[in-house]
Amino acid sequence: MAKPDPALAPSLEGRVALVTGSTRGLGRAMARGFSAAGARVVVSGRSQDACDAVAREIEADGGEAIGIAAEMERMADLDRLVEGTVARFGALDVLVNNAADATLGLLEQLTEEDWDRVHAVNAKAPVFLAIKALPHLARSGRGSVVNLISVGVWNGTFAMGLYRSSKSALLGATKVMSKEWASRGVRVNCIAPGTFETDMIGWMDDDVRARAKEMAALGRFADPAELVPAALFLASDQSSYVTGSVITVDGGLLS
């Protein structure tokens, strides 16, 4: 088998990337992958200790990173994320909106507070964080926003109405942002993951896991590292003519 040409690999050399929800799971994998591709990375999550731990992992691998804790429901924290990123690295080129609340429950059992909280984290926060980052992304000349949604926006899933509806809202906002910000040189795209081996599926028992795996054409769940190539593509110049699009990484779940 021919070896991949390193010259064709996505590069984020010289860029600054902010990845929310990056203390574990898909976000951690993307933060580490972006660093390996040359980016300076801001790790963000609810716990400062957890942010610092992932930043240290990146630095141990030869990268450059800082951790900034934030509660995505708080507008002041979103301001602090952007301001802290620019204060430390002098720029912001890539924003990955990955942080999410995956509260489960039948719609008829949910409270208004549940609805407001999940939509605040999964839909409102990504949009407002992108808006706050926009001046810096536009100044970059190669700004990219990558929003994590879910294949569930196209297929209803039992007890996940809150998560699915909030991710559908983010998909709609992505389409609008891509139109409104194209003239400013900022591309906005989505990744729609299928089922990955992360804490988010910790509630599944063996029977549920087996049935869920059977739903995907590849018959398995994915490792978080398998999402990284799609994120790198959308963040880098390799996708310079791609905006308002969705890359589905689901093992054939929707096929």
Side-chain angles (χ1 to χ4, degrees):
M1 180 184 298
K3 294 183 178 179
D5 184 350
L8 299 178
S11 173
L12 296 179
E13 194 67 39
R15 302 189 195 187
V16 177
L18 165 59
V19 184
T20 69
S22 50
T23 59
R24 58 185 182 176
L26 300 182
R28 176 175 173 269
M30 287 186 285
R32 293 178 62 108
F34 281 19
S35 174
R40 291 170 289 171
V41 177
V42 177
V43 178
S44 182
R46 293 182 180 275
S47 163
Q48 187 63 51
D49 287 344
C51 292
D52 291 341
V54 176
R56 286 194 297 269
E57 291 176 1
I58 290 172
E59 291 178 336
D61 288 336
E64 189 175 356
I66 61 168
I68 303 177
E71 298 282 350
M72 302 307 292
E73 305 95 316
R74 299 176 181 170
M75 290 293 111
D77 280 16
L78 303 186
D79 286 323
R80 192 164 50 80
L81 266 179
V82 174
E83 293 165 1
T85 298
V86 176
R88 175 64 178 82
F89 293 124
L92 175 53
D93 305 288
V94 178
L95 169 63
V96 179
N97 280 309
N98 171 70
D101 184 323
T103 296
L104 300 176
L106 299 177
L107 285 174
E108 65 195 76
Q109 297 173 342
L110 297 173
T111 65
E112 182 179 359
E113 289 74 20
D114 291 331
W115 182 275
D116 290 344
R117 184 188 68 256
V118 172
H119 281 74
V121 173
N122 295 359
K124 179 181 176 181
V127 172
F128 276 86
L129 182 56
I131 291 169
K132 294 173 186 296
L134 178 59
H136 305 286
L137 295 168
R139 192 174 301 120
S140 164
R142 51 191 181 183
S144 175
V145 179
V146 182
N147 293 324
L148 274 289
I149 56 168
S150 168
V151 294
V153 303
W154 295 287
N155 63 346
T157 303
F158 190 80
M160 295 198 74
L162 268 181
Y163 186 73
R164 303 317 193 193
S165 62
S166 62
K167 291 297 187 178
S168 295
L170 183 55
L171 172 59
T174 297
K175 296 288 187 178
V176 175
M177 286 189 283
S178 71
K179 291 285 190 181
E180 293 184 349
W181 298 353
S183 63
R184 301 180 68 172
V186 179
R187 298 180 298 104
V188 189
N189 293 287
C190 287
I191 299 176
T195 309
F196 282 71
E197 289 283 5
T198 68
D199 293 347
M200 191 172 287
I201 63 168
W203 60 271
M204 292 184 176
D205 60 26
D206 290 343
D207 289 341
V208 173
R209 286 176 65 90
R211 290 196 299 272
K213 288 180 179 180
E214 290 174 357
M215 294 172 65
L218 294 182
R220 64 178 178 85
F221 296 158
D223 185 275
E226 293 181 275
L227 190 81
V228 174
L232 280 173
F233 171 71
L234 291 177
S236 74
D237 290 341
Q238 287 198 345
S239 60
S240 59
Y241 198 58
V242 180
T243 195
S245 295
V246 181
I247 294 181
T248 302
V249 186
D250 69 344
L253 184 63
L254 295 181
S255 63

